Amino acid sequence: MRKIYIDNLRNYTILLLFPVHTFMVWNDFGSRFYVWMGESRLLSTLIVLVNPWFMPLLFVLAGISARHALEQRSRREYVKQRARKLLVPFLGGLLLLVPFQSLFARKFFFEYQGGLASHWHYFFTHLTDFSGYDGAFTPGHLWFILFLFLISMVSLAIFCILPQLPISLLPSAGRTKGKAAAIPFGGLLLLFLPVWLMYYLGNFGGFSLGKNLALFLLGYYYLSQDSVLECLEQHAGWLLPLWTAVTLLSVLLYYRFAYYGDLWVNLVGWISILSLLVLGRRFLDKPTAVTKYLNRMSYPIYLLHQTILVALAYYMARISLPLPALAASICIGSLLLTLAACHLLRHIPLLRLLAGFS
C-alpha cells in the first residue's frame, strides 16, 4: 500500500531545494557556486538548518519505497523501472541541462563570450574538481540521480543475499534475529554510526556513495517497518526536543565558529530523519490536491530546478536590489519558471520521457 507521508516528505524536501540553492549564491563555505554574489553568514547559517538531513532523507525515503516496490513487482521489473526513471533522465539531463549551468559559471567568473556549442564541447573535454563552477565537466545536481541508480542496483544484489538484516549485527539488540522491531530506541539512534563511518567510502568532494548506500539500506531494512516507526513515535516526547536542541546547537556553532564536523553533522542528520518520519506519519499521511500534483511534478522539478535557478541568478545579479529582495526574487522566480517549464515539457513525448514524468 502506498504511504502518503512518504510522498509528502519527498515532495516537500524537493521544494526545499529552491531556497537552499538560492542561499548558495551567497554561501560562505569557500566552495562558491555557479553564480556567487558574496558571503552571507546569515543565509549560510539557514542552509545549516537543513543541510544535515534534506538530501540524506531522500535516500532513506528511496530505501523505504524500494521495500514496498519489491513487494509488488519482480526484480527484473524493478531494474527496468529504475533504468527508465533514473538512468534515462540522468543521461538526458547531463547532455541538455547541466552544461547550461557551467556555461553561466564561465560567463559569471571568467567573462566567457563564446556560444553554447563551443562551451558544450569544452564541458565534455575538461575535467577538474567536478563542481562545474569553472565551466568544466560536472554531473551537477544530477549526482543524486546517478547515485540513486547505482545504489539501487547494488542494493538489489544485497537484498538477494540478505533479504532481512540480522538484528544481531547491533550489539545492543539482543539475540532476536530477523525482526527490526527488536532494536531498542537507543539502538535506532546509534544507527547513525554506520552512516558516519561509510561517509568516507566513495566520497567525491563531500558527495558520499557509501553514506547514501547506508541510508538507503537503513530505510529498506528498518525504517520501512511500521513497528520501528511506532517505537519512534512512542519516544517522540524527547526525540523531537532532542532534534530541536541539536539543530539549534549546529546553527549556533556554525554562526559563531563555522564549525561543521562530519561526526556531528551525521548525528544531527540521523536524528532529524527519525524526527521527520515521526512528524510525517502524524501530520502528512493524508492525500491532498497538492500531494497529487507534486507526485506528478516533483521529479521533473528536481531535474530542472537548478539549471533554471542558476540562469535566473546570473541575470538577477545585474540588478541592484537589497539582498532579501534579490534572494526572494531568485527563489520564487525560479520556482514559478520551473513549474512553467514542467507543464510545457509534459506535452512533448520525448522530453516527457527525459524529464522523468510518471
Side-chain angles (χ1 to χ4, degrees):
M1 184 177 68
R2 194 177 186 99
K3 303 288 187 180
I4 303 300
Y5 77 95
I6 298 296
D7 292 334
N8 282 325
L9 284 173
R10 181 188 300 111
N11 294 337
Y12 295 139
T13 301
I14 287 174
L15 290 181
L16 191 59
L17 289 167
F18 286 95
V20 167
H21 285 153
T22 296
F23 297 161
M24 280 294 293
V25 176
W26 289 274
N27 83 83
D28 65 354
F29 306 150
S31 63
R32 301 295 192 265
F33 195 52
Y34 297 95
V35 173
W36 187 75
M37 301 187 203
E39 295 184 352
S40 169
R41 177 52 60 90
L42 175 60
L43 294 185
S44 299
T45 305
L46 291 176
I47 297 176
V48 173
L49 279 170
V50 299
N51 190 61
W53 60 261
F54 80 101
M55 292 305 291
L57 177 62
L58 292 177
F59 283 99
V60 168
L61 296 177
I64 297 173
S65 298
R67 164 72 78 174
H68 299 308
L70 287 168
E71 290 173 351
Q72 301 174 22
R73 59 171 61 103
S74 68
R75 294 186 181 95
R76 183 176 181 179
E77 291 171 336
Y78 179 76
V79 171
K80 289 175 64 176
Q81 191 270 346
R82 293 290 80 188
R84 181 185 65 82
K85 188 73 174 180
L86 298 173
L87 187 57
V88 172
F90 169 75
L91 294 174
L94 191 63
L95 289 171
L96 302 176
L97 292 176
V98 181
F100 277 98
Q101 296 169 197
S102 62
L103 169 64
F104 285 110
R106 284 183 79 189
K107 287 178 173 290
F108 187 84
F109 290 111
F110 304 103
E111 299 182 354
Y112 172 69
Q113 300 295 322
L116 176 60
S118 176
H119 173 73
W120 194 85
H121 178 266
Y122 179 89
F123 176 82
F124 284 105
T125 55
H126 288 73
L127 187 66
T128 54
D129 61 359
F130 286 107
S131 73
Y133 304 160
D134 57 359
F137 178 82
T138 176
H141 61 296
L142 302 186
W143 71 268
F144 167 71
I145 298 173
L146 176 61
F147 274 28
L148 187 54
F149 177 74
L150 296 175
I151 287 170
S152 297
M153 297 301 100
V154 170
S155 297
L156 189 59
I158 295 174
F159 302 153
C160 294
I161 300 170
L162 197 62
Q164 181 69 40
L165 191 64
I167 199 68
S168 57
L169 290 180
L170 289 177
S172 63
R175 294 183 175 276
T176 305
K177 292 186 178 182
K179 293 183 179 179
I183 300 180
F185 179 68
L188 289 172
L189 289 180
L190 289 175
L191 286 176
F192 91 92
L193 289 172
V195 175
W196 167 54
L197 292 173
M198 290 188 69
Y199 173 76
Y200 303 99
L201 177 64
N203 191 312
F204 303 94
F207 300 96
S208 170
L209 195 58
K211 170 182 174 176
N212 292 312
L213 172 62
L215 290 165
F216 186 93
L217 293 175
L218 290 172
Y220 180 91
Y221 284 118
Y222 291 119
L223 298 178
S224 62
Q225 305 292 329
D226 288 338
S227 52
V228 170
L229 297 172
E230 288 166 4
C231 174
L232 292 174
E233 288 183 335
Q234 291 170 6
H235 293 83
W238 72 273
L239 174 62
L240 298 180
L242 176 63
W243 177 35
T244 302
V246 296
T247 299
L248 291 178
L249 182 57
S250 295
V251 170
L252 177 63
L253 288 171
Y254 188 80
Y255 194 82
R256 294 289 300 274
F257 309 110
Y259 177 77
Y260 216 62
D262 296 334
L263 175 64
W264 178 255
V265 168
N266 283 288
L267 173 61
V268 174
W270 185 247
I271 293 172
S272 303
I273 288 168
L274 298 183
S275 301
L276 286 163
L277 288 172
V278 169
L279 293 174
R281 276 170 58 94
R282 186 173 297 180
F283 299 110
L284 298 176
D285 206 26
K286 294 182 179 179
T288 65
V290 174
T291 304
K292 185 177 179 181
Y293 177 78
L294 289 177
N295 282 349
R296 298 194 309 269
M297 305 296 285
S298 62
Y299 190 57
I301 287 173
Y302 182 86
L303 286 166
L304 296 171
H305 84 279
Q306 186 165 286
T307 303
I308 292 173
L309 189 151
V310 167
L312 181 60
Y314 173 80
Y315 292 107
M316 291 295 296
R318 305 177 180 184
I319 301 174
S320 179
L321 286 174
L323 191 153
L326 192 57
S329 298
I330 293 172
C331 182
I332 297 171
S334 60
L335 172 61
L336 295 177
L337 288 171
T338 300
L339 292 175
C342 288
H343 281 280
L344 176 63
L345 294 181
R346 65 185 298 193
H347 297 294
I348 305 173
L350 177 59
L351 295 182
R352 179 184 177 89
L353 175 65
L354 293 178
F357 280 95
S358 301

